């Protein structure tokens, strides 16, 4: 029988479904846990506002907790909205007897601005719950409140973290989403150790409702699965980042992360490999396609929805090659992670134009460059002579830098069909075609061949 760890959330209910126990339970399920809950308050809310809060009597909060823990082997738990000093004090007594790790998300204010923690409960939370936390996960405003100081820079964050550690938690993760900076950096601090900055690229979305709940829930789930704390934090960051990139709007206000993104990607895997295999076969049967294959050979890369890494991009494991007689050979079938270079091209291109999903490299010479232009395809260029040394020294770094540079410098980045790389010392010139899907790519290749 499959062992599914029980993960417990102690938090408020969000009728809008984006935060609170709803976000927690979705996250637990997506990461392989069995979610159980202790509801501390009911809220009437949507994407715009919280219109009402109905706290659960403290004795019934405890009754829920005892019902769950007396029957189920809870592996990890988190707290979210606790609302009142009475609930906090009651929970503090039972949580002090637990045998599993506890993540404390000190929820104070909703995304819409409504207070979710009574002013009289602030001191009670710090006194009764913080000392029990294996990890405390405040955002910047919460860190400022409990540390009693303003936070303007990284030095302030380190000072605030030390003050929070003095309140008793074993570790603190100060979330940097509220910082005005190009990257979103969370700071992980443990007693006697330097703060560790954990950076993520920012996701340009207004759908931020429930991000704190989702992150703390993902950390809790990973702890329940047996991971060490810092590893659990990093895995949780990656999960939230992917969920934000796949976020959706469901109302007039800010929507929520897409907690189902791992399922969406997993369901797409088998179909994507079939699509790529069919497209590769179609390419191999195109008359004269061998003329487009460069010396380093061709590869055709196709990315999953919301692809985040090379492992989310499939390509042909042995590339696409040809004989001297012009017979095209698909050397190996489609596999995820089969071509790091072409995966980098797709992932880099998607940062500028998210509708792109595939890339194909072809020979670059006067004839093919001319055919690309005469076929009505839009080309962008980059020169390796301008490449920063850091990118040049990193394996595959040219693919990232060159693709993004070419697209961003073009007057209409969203219209670019081909990136032309003039090559360099020991580097073959190359044209890398970009397309929204395999059908789009095959159409572009046919247009080029028709011109040739």
């Amino acid at each position: 029988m499959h062992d599914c760890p029980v993960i417990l959330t102690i938090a408020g209910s969000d009728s809008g479904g984006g935060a609170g126990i709803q976000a927690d339970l979705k996250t637990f399920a997506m990461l392989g846990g069995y979610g159980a809950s202790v509801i501390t308050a009911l809220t009437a809310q949507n994407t715009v506002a919280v219109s009402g809060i109905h706290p659960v009597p403290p004795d019934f909060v405890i009754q829920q907790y005892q019902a769950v823990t007396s029957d189920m082997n809870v592996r990890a738990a988190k707290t979210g909205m606790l609302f009142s000093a009475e609930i906090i004090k009651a929970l503090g007594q039972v949580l002090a007897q637990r045998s599993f790790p506890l993540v404390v998300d000190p929820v104070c204010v909703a995304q819409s601005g409504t207070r979710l923690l009574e002013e009289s409960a602030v001191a009670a939370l710090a006194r009764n719950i913080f000392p029990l936390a294996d990890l405390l996960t405040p955002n910047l405003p919460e860190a400022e409140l409990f540390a009693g100081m303003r936070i303007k820079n990284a030095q302030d964050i380190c000072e605030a973290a030390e003050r929070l550690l003095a309140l008793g938690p074993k570790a603190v993760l100060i979330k940097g989403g509220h910082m005005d900076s190009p990257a979103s950096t969370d700071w992980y601090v443990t007693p006697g150790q330097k703060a560790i900055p954990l950076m993520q690229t920012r996701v340009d979305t207004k759908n931020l409702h429930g991000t704190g709940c989702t992150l703390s829930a993902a950390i809790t789930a990973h702890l329940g699965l047996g991971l060490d704390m810092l590893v659990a934090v990093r895995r949780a960051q990656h999960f939230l980042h992917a969920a934000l990139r796949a976020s959706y709007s469901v109302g007039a206000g800010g929507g929520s992360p897409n907690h189902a993104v791992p399922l969406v990607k997993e369901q797409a895997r088998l179909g994507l490999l079939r699509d790529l295999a069919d497209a590769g076969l179609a390419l191999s049967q195109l008359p004269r396609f061998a003329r487009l294959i460069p010396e380093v050979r061709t590869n055709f890369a196709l990315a999953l929805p919301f692809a985040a890494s090379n492992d989310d991009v499939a390509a042909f494991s042995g590339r696409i090659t040809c004989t001297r007689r012009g017979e095209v050979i698909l050397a190996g079938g489609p596999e995820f992670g089969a071509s790091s270079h072409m995966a980098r091209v797709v992932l880099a291109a998607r940062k500028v134009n998210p509708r792109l999903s595939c890339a194909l490299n072809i020979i670059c010479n006067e004839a093919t460059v001319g055919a690309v232009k005469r076929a009505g395809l839009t080309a962008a260029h980059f020169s390796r002579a301008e490449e920063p040394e850091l990118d040049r020294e990193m394996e595959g770094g040219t693919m990232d830098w060159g693709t993004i540079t070419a697209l961003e410098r073009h007057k209409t980045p969203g219209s670019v069909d081909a990136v032309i790389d003039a090559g360099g010392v020991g580097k073959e010139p190359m044209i890398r075609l970009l397309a929204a899907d395999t059908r789009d790519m095959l159409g572009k290749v046919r247009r080029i061949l028709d011109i040739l």
Side-chain angles (χ1 to χ4, degrees):
M1 183 179 294
H2 178 64
D3 181 23
C4 187
V6 176
I7 317 295
L8 175 63
T9 172
I10 306 169
S13 170
D14 173 6
S15 58
I21 62 163
Q22 284 81 355
D24 294 344
L25 293 174
K26 293 174 191 176
T27 301
F28 296 163
M30 283 299 103
L31 295 178
Y34 177 91
S37 64
V38 171
I39 301 177
T40 58
L42 305 177
T43 69
Q45 65 174 296
N46 52 31
T47 62
V48 178
V50 179
S51 57
I53 298 176
H54 181 70
V56 175
D59 59 345
F60 192 71
V61 171
I62 301 306
Q63 187 174 347
Q64 294 176 74
Y65 178 85
Q66 291 174 337
V68 172
T69 56
S70 66
D71 177 54
M72 302 177 186
N73 179 23
V74 175
R75 300 281 187 84
K78 64 155 285 188
T79 65
M81 174 189 179
L82 299 182
F83 189 67
S84 73
E86 292 75 21
I87 292 174
I88 289 167
K89 291 174 183 177
L91 279 170
Q93 295 179 20
V94 295
L95 286 172
Q97 308 304 316
R98 77 190 192 285
S99 59
F100 44 80
L102 177 68
V103 175
V104 174
D105 186 9
V107 176
C108 295
V109 179
Q111 191 79 28
S112 61
T114 302
R115 286 195 67 92
L116 302 178
L117 181 71
E118 293 181 331
E119 289 190 33
S120 60
V122 172
L125 185 61
R127 184 170 56 251
N128 293 273
I129 302 297
F130 284 13
L132 305 177
D134 291 275
L135 178 69
L136 181 68
T137 64
N139 58 30
L140 282 179
E142 292 160 353
E144 289 181 331
L145 172 66
F146 289 102
M149 61 177 286
R150 292 294 306 277
I151 297 176
K152 298 180 180 179
N153 51 44
Q155 185 176 351
D156 292 342
I157 286 178
C158 294
E159 171 63 24
E162 291 301 324
R163 294 189 185 189
L164 293 173
L165 284 172
L167 296 176
K170 294 179 181 177
V172 173
L173 181 73
I174 297 182
K175 298 172 289 189
H178 288 78
M179 274 277 193
D180 184 14
S181 58
S184 178
T185 303
D186 300 333
W187 295 80
Y188 179 76
V189 189
T190 54
Q193 302 294 322
K194 288 185 177 180
I196 302 174
L198 305 174
M199 298 179 65
Q200 292 272 84
T201 55
R202 283 193 181 274
V203 179
D204 184 15
T205 178
K206 69 172 186 176
N207 300 321
L208 302 173
H209 181 54
T211 52
C213 301
T214 300
L215 180 66
S216 58
I219 295 170
T220 308
H222 286 308
L223 290 175
L225 291 166
L227 300 184
D228 291 336
M229 182 65 75
L230 186 54
V231 176
V233 169
R234 288 300 280 164
R235 295 275 184 93
Q237 280 187 315
H238 296 156
F239 173 77
L240 176 58
H241 193 265
L244 283 171
R245 289 172 53 240
S247 67
Y248 43 75
S249 299
V250 293
S256 302
N258 184 352
H259 302 89
V261 66
L263 180 61
V264 172
K265 290 170 66 173
E266 192 61 34
Q267 289 178 329
R269 281 183 177 272
L270 184 57
L272 182 144
L273 293 176
R274 288 178 183 149
D275 288 347
L276 187 55
D278 291 344
L281 181 60
L283 271 183
S284 70
Q285 295 176 348
L286 287 177
R288 304 181 308 281
F289 178 70
R291 295 181 58 184
L292 298 183
I293 298 178
E295 288 188 20
V296 297
R297 302 315 178 196
T298 287
N299 216 328
F300 194 164
L302 181 60
L304 285 168
F306 318 119
S309 69
N310 293 353
D311 291 336
D312 292 335
V313 183
F316 288 88
S317 59
R319 305 187 189 182
I320 302 173
T321 186
C322 63
T323 67
R324 296 179 64 182
R325 295 188 299 274
E327 298 168 322
V328 176
I329 300 170
L330 304 177
E335 294 180 12
F336 285 99
S339 174
S340 62
H341 278 60
M342 292 304 292
R344 286 177 178 271
V345 172
V346 176
L347 294 173
R350 285 168 62 90
K351 292 178 182 178
V352 181
N353 182 0
R355 72 178 187 84
L356 297 173
S357 72
C358 54
L360 175 77
N361 66 303
I362 62 173
I363 194 168
C364 180
N365 54 34
E366 186 175 344
T368 51
V369 170
V372 165
K373 295 178 180 178
R374 290 170 59 196
L377 302 179
T378 300
H381 305 251
F382 72 88
S383 170
R384 289 175 182 256
E386 301 176 6
E387 184 178 7
E389 185 175 350
L390 185 63
D391 291 290
R392 191 182 308 119
E393 292 177 350
M394 182 173 61
E395 176 66 23
T398 301
M399 301 301 101
D400 299 321
W401 171 83
T403 303
I404 291 176
T405 298
L407 267 63
E408 288 184 339
R409 288 181 178 176
H410 197 275
K411 60 182 179 180
T412 55
S415 69
V416 173
D417 302 296
V419 174
I420 298 178
D421 171 8
V425 178
K427 302 295 183 181
E428 184 180 5
M430 200 72 60
I431 298 174
R432 298 181 182 92
L433 299 177
L434 306 173
D437 52 37
T438 57
R439 183 177 180 180
D440 184 28
M441 181 65 78
L442 290 170
K444 291 175 180 179
V445 172
R446 289 189 181 100
R447 286 158 67 182
I448 292 171
L449 289 174
D450 287 343
I451 298 297
L452 290 174

